[in-house]
Amino acid sequence: SYLDLFMLTFYEEEDRIGIFTIMSFISSVIIIPYKALMRISGALVADYWKQKNMKELQRIYQRTSLMSMMAGVFIFLGIWINRENLLSLMQGGDYRPGLLVLLILGMAKVFDMTAGLNGIILNTSRKYIYDTRFQLALIGVGIGTNLWLIPLYGIYGAASATAISLISINMARILAVWFLYKLQPFAWPMLTIVLTGLGAMGLVELIPQLPLIIDLPLRSFIFALIFGGIMLKLEVSKDVNEYVAKLAKQFGLAAWVNPFLKNKIEK
């Protein structure tokens, strides 16, 4: 997890390493919902293997990937549209060079989330040895890409090496699960998530920069309203809609949420 940071210490100055570390920690916020979802789903995957229920395995694979991608895109773009506010909160140096690091790592984390349960599916199957081999290969990929890219591009090389490593192991797992078990995580609604996220971001980017105390909540609210409203209205993920409806009913917000739901919340 910290290979990039460790190898940076041999090539970069302390201030650049500090910038990379901060942006790396910020990007790690993106995967918090994903980690929680993986803990919940792991036991279900193992149980489906025990039952040899491939239909439910495929279903949970796609459902969790869809929910993870939605959460990842929402959080990542929510951070990105507030990048100027983020920089204004950081004192004691120029952190603007770290924005490209945040962009690279953020996109890699979203892809990692979209890949879903591939690692858990492999590790709980009879072919678990494949994932062990992938992990060993990942060490070589990580060291090799860092040695290659850090001397050339510094902190951007370290971020790119991490992204390449994350994408490589997830692609290996996705292909292995597909060839071994004919299971895959992708679904057409994922395209809707990406296009909606980019569209909402584009609209929010048109807002002129305002004082921090106004800009941060305003920009975040408008993005959440556009992205969240479209996701709910199109019912991209039934699980997300059901969860939002449950929370809205619990906190007495049915009147606010009902316009976005196909299945209205009963009072």
Side-chain angles (χ1 to χ4, degrees), residues 10 25 48 59 76 88 96 101 126 137 168 232 234:
F10 295 98
F25 283 145
Y48 292 146
R59 186 165 171 265
F76 170 55
S88 68
R96 188 169 294 278
V101 172
R126 295 183 183 274
S168 296
L232 292 174
L234 296 179

Side-chain angles (χ1 to χ4, degrees), residues 111 115 118 166-176 186:
F111 181 82
N118 51 28
L166 275 175
I167 292 169
S168 296
I169 190 167
N170 276 298
M171 287 304 301
R173 286 167 168 170
I174 288 169
L175 291 172
F186 303 113

Side-chain angles (χ1 to χ4, degrees), residues 70-104:
M70 192 183 297
V73 168
F74 178 71
I75 297 171
F76 170 55
L77 293 182
I79 292 171
W80 186 249
I81 60 171
N82 282 295
R83 59 192 181 279
E84 294 298 330
N85 294 321
L86 191 66
L87 291 176
S88 68
L89 289 169
M90 296 178 181
Q91 303 297 323
D94 180 16
Y95 293 92
R96 188 169 294 278
L99 288 180
L100 183 56
V101 172
L102 178 60
L103 180 64
I104 295 169

Side-chain angles (χ1 to χ4, degrees), residues 35-250:
K35 288 183 176 179
L37 193 60
M38 294 306 101
R39 284 195 293 269
I40 296 168
S41 304
L44 288 173
V45 171
D47 196 45
Y48 292 146
W49 275 125
K50 186 178 179 181
Q51 299 170 19
K52 297 182 180 179
N53 192 337
M54 304 304 289
K55 184 178 179 180
E56 283 302 315
L57 262 178
Q58 173 62 39
R59 186 165 171 265
I60 194 174
Y61 194 11
Q62 286 193 339
R63 285 171 63 194
T64 53
S65 295
L66 199 62
M67 286 187 288
S68 296
M69 184 187 195
M70 192 183 297
V73 168
F74 178 71
I75 297 171
F76 170 55
L77 293 182
I79 292 171
W80 186 249
I81 60 171
N82 282 295
R83 59 192 181 279
E84 294 298 330
N85 294 321
L86 191 66
L87 291 176
S88 68
L89 289 169
M90 296 178 181
Q91 303 297 323
D94 180 16
Y95 293 92
R96 188 169 294 278
L99 288 180
L100 183 56
V101 172
L102 178 60
L103 180 64
I104 295 169
L105 292 178
M107 290 191 294
K109 295 290 173 64
V110 172
F111 181 82
D112 188 28
M113 294 173 72
T114 305
L117 296 170
N118 51 28
I120 292 175
I121 290 173
L122 268 183
N123 278 313
T124 51
S125 74
R126 295 183 183 274
K127 304 290 186 179
Y128 61 88
I129 192 64
Y130 279 84
D131 200 56
T132 304
R133 291 168 181 165
F134 293 152
Q135 293 281 2
L136 290 172
L138 180 64
I139 297 172
V141 172
I143 293 173
T145 52
N146 276 288
L147 285 173
W148 170 39
L149 295 171
I150 291 177
L152 293 174
Y153 305 111
I155 58 176
Y156 309 124
S160 299
T162 299
I164 290 169
S165 297
L166 275 175
I167 292 169
S168 296
I169 190 167
N170 276 298
M171 287 304 301
R173 286 167 168 170
I174 288 169
L175 291 172
V177 171
W178 169 249
F179 283 115
L180 292 170
Y181 303 111
K182 295 296 182 278
L183 303 172
Q184 59 89 19
F186 303 113
W188 282 110
M190 289 179 175
L191 183 59
T192 305
I193 295 172
V194 174
L195 294 176
T196 302
L198 293 175
M201 181 186 72
L203 290 173
V204 172
E205 291 285 353
L206 297 175
I207 301 172
Q209 196 68 34
L210 301 168
L212 174 66
I213 195 169
I214 299 172
D215 193 89
L216 180 61
L218 178 65
R219 199 173 291 269
S220 302
F221 175 75
I222 293 174
F223 175 75
L225 184 65
I226 297 172
F227 182 80
I230 294 174
M231 290 295 99
L232 292 174
K233 195 70 177 178
L234 296 179
E235 205 173 63
V236 173
S237 170
K238 290 184 178 180
D239 296 286
V240 171
N241 276 46
E242 289 173 2
Y243 183 68
V244 170
K246 181 180 177 181
L247 288 179
K249 188 174 183 179
Q250 183 178 346

